[in-house]
Amino acid sequence: MSTTSLQQARSSSVCRFGCWALLICSLALTACGDGTNKAEEKILIKFPHVTAPGTPKGKAADRFRDLVHERLGDRVTVEVYPSGQLMNDDDSIDALAFGEVQMIAVSLSKFDRLTKKYQLFDLPFMFNNIEAVERFQSSPSGAALLTAMNDNGLTGLGFWHNGMKQFSGPEPMTTPAAAEGLKFRIMESDVLQAQILQVGGNPQKMALGEVYQALQTGAVDAQENTWSNIYSAKFYEVQPHITQSNHGYIGYLVLVNSGFWSSIPDDIRSELQSIMDETSAWANAQSTAINLEALEKIKASERSNVVTLTPEQIEEWRVAMRPVWTQFEEAIGSDIIEAAQQSSQ
Ligand code: LMR
């Protein structure tokens, strides 16, 4: 397929959502070429992401790049583009499919348009903490989710944690009633939209790079995110109160284009997967500490009041948002929900 026809295809919204697999197949064939001199080809992995270098994802991406350099020399180069400097998450999913970038690590909340399976991770109070997420993702049902987008020509290489989400806004959110009437920035997820509607708020799907200004100008009143994102994106400067709600999870799927991945010579691909496994274990072991460090920096700044909830108040939030589970149970699958619940016990 020529570049022009790819560009035409890309600009067509019908093709963007409907003909994706077909485009990926053509790219896979192109990537495979005639198979000659494959072992000598130098491989470039462009890896854009939207968070700052010091966040859990930023550190993981840099670690992966450095280990690849150390172990594979100039046979493989990983170029990391942090802080949304190359593109936002939504565009990066398309860019991966079109072979413009070779690796992404996008929040599990943002794959709604390709699969409903990851909606599990957005159900409010699904996981009590990161350890519960880790147990689930390492279980057979959780690990099987790595392949949920194989039919779309995308292969999951690993899960990376960020952390638990906190609400921030103009007032402390000690009870769900405090959310009523507020405009909340949310990630591009139908579950998160339902979650905010459930407590009487007005959800606005928005890319991360637009949030600071939206909060500053009052285009939105409130948001939910992890401590490391609230700190690195400076939301704490423009949000008077942050409530420690721990009501949801942000984590990432590290994804490659299946055609690109299978075009890599076997020995290099298996080394890349083993570096990815090592990176994931390293990064996931320190994500909680990075978030707690960000929390301490926010407290020390005295720019935002950090509010702690009592167990009773947390229970009130949990009960208020629970109907969201029923809405999405069929699409996600009750078996997966049950498996995830067992990890939290
Ligand atoms: C967000 O958009 O708030 C998050 O997905 C950012 C991230 O990647 O952690």
Side-chain angles (χ1 to χ4, degrees):
M1 187 175 285
S2 71
T3 311
T4 316
S5 53
L6 266 180
Q7 278 163 350
Q8 280 163 354
R10 192 172 185 197
S11 62
S12 146
S13 60
V14 174
C15 191
R16 185 174 179 217
F17 296 106
C19 312
W20 235 51
L22 186 64
L23 288 166
I24 289 164
C25 287
S26 342
L27 286 165
L29 290 174
T30 312
C32 288
D34 62 5
T36 53
N37 290 329
K38 267 172 62 174
E40 287 159 32
E41 279 169 21
K42 292 194 193 324
I43 296 160
L44 174 63
I45 297 179
K46 285 193 183 176
F47 186 173
H49 69 84
V50 297
T51 63
T55 57
K57 179 162 58 182
K59 287 189 176 216
D62 289 353
R63 174 82 167 188
F64 177 73
R65 176 199 59 207
D66 294 347
L67 288 178
V68 168
H69 181 65
E70 200 177 295
R71 312 244 169 101
L72 290 165
D74 64 359
R75 291 204 289 170
V76 183
T77 302
V78 179
E79 289 177 359
V80 176
Y81 299 90
S83 307
Q85 60 182 240
L86 205 56
M87 58 188 73
N88 68 30
D89 276 333
D90 212 26
D91 290 341
S92 78
I93 299 173
D94 292 337
L96 187 74
F98 284 89
E100 291 162 6
V101 299
Q102 288 68 39
M103 185 173 283
I104 59 175
V106 168
S107 162
L108 289 157
S109 311
K110 297 181 183 176
F111 294 108
D112 258 15
R113 65 180 158 100
L114 296 175
T115 176
K116 302 297 173 201
K117 296 241 168 77
Y118 302 129
Q119 290 184 331
L120 170 82
F121 293 100
D122 281 342
L123 291 177
F125 294 103
M126 175 76 253
F127 297 99
N128 289 340
N129 46 41
I130 294 298
E131 290 72 29
V133 181
E134 180 65 38
R135 277 195 295 279
F136 171 66
Q137 289 179 341
S138 320
S139 73
S141 323
L145 290 178
L146 283 174
T147 61
M149 290 193 294
N150 281 8
D151 289 349
N152 296 100
L154 302 174
T155 301
L157 299 188
F159 292 118
W160 289 351
H161 302 315
N162 182 333
M164 304 305 285
K165 286 184 293 186
Q166 323 298 335
F167 280 125
S168 70
E171 300 294 337
M173 291 202 219
T174 44
T175 66
E180 272 174 34
L182 293 182
K183 277 182 272 167
F184 279 82
R185 179 271 169 167
I186 54 163
M187 293 182 281
E188 296 82 349
S189 153
D190 291 347
V191 178
L192 299 181
Q193 180 171 277
Q195 170 198 268
I196 297 300
L197 288 171
Q198 189 63 39
V199 291
N202 175 359
Q204 314 273 325
K205 293 179 180 175
M206 191 181 285
L208 180 70
E210 295 163 30
V211 183
Y212 180 88
Q213 200 180 1
L215 291 169
Q216 192 182 35
T217 59
V220 294
D221 309 300
Q223 65 88 46
E224 51 164 19
N225 225 308
T226 62
W227 292 117
S228 62
N229 283 345
I230 293 171
Y231 178 71
S232 60
K234 300 190 180 351
F235 298 161
Y236 68 101
E237 292 180 357
V238 286
Q239 290 278 266
H241 300 275
I242 309 174
T243 304
Q244 290 204 60
S245 45
N246 289 312
H247 63 280
Y249 167 75
I250 292 187
Y252 312 105
L253 178 67
V254 186
L255 208 53
V256 288
N257 177 318
S258 308
F260 162 73
W261 191 238
S262 59
S263 76
I264 298 175
D266 292 350
D267 58 330
I268 297 184
R269 190 172 58 244
S270 101
E271 182 61 24
L272 285 171
Q273 180 66 63
S274 114
I275 294 171
M276 179 55 66
D277 294 344
E278 187 179 326
T279 303
S280 304
W282 176 88
N284 289 343
Q286 57 171 323
S287 60
T288 300
I290 295 170
N291 275 292
L292 290 178
E293 205 179 304
L295 165 60
E296 290 314 315
K297 287 179 179 160
I298 290 169
K299 282 183 180 165
S301 77
E302 299 186 358
R303 298 285 293 265
S304 190
N305 169 38
V306 174
V307 182
T308 308
L309 297 180
T310 64
E312 293 73 27
Q313 288 168 330
I314 290 178
E315 188 55 23
E316 205 180 329
W317 274 102
R318 185 193 301 273
V319 169
M321 300 202 291
R322 184 63 185 228
V324 174
W325 286 40
T326 319
Q327 275 181 56
F328 290 89
E329 184 173 345
E330 198 180 325
I332 297 169
S334 48
D335 49 339
I336 301 186
I337 296 179
E338 269 168 40
Q341 272 181 301
Q342 277 172 16
S343 307
S344 265
Q345 279 157 12

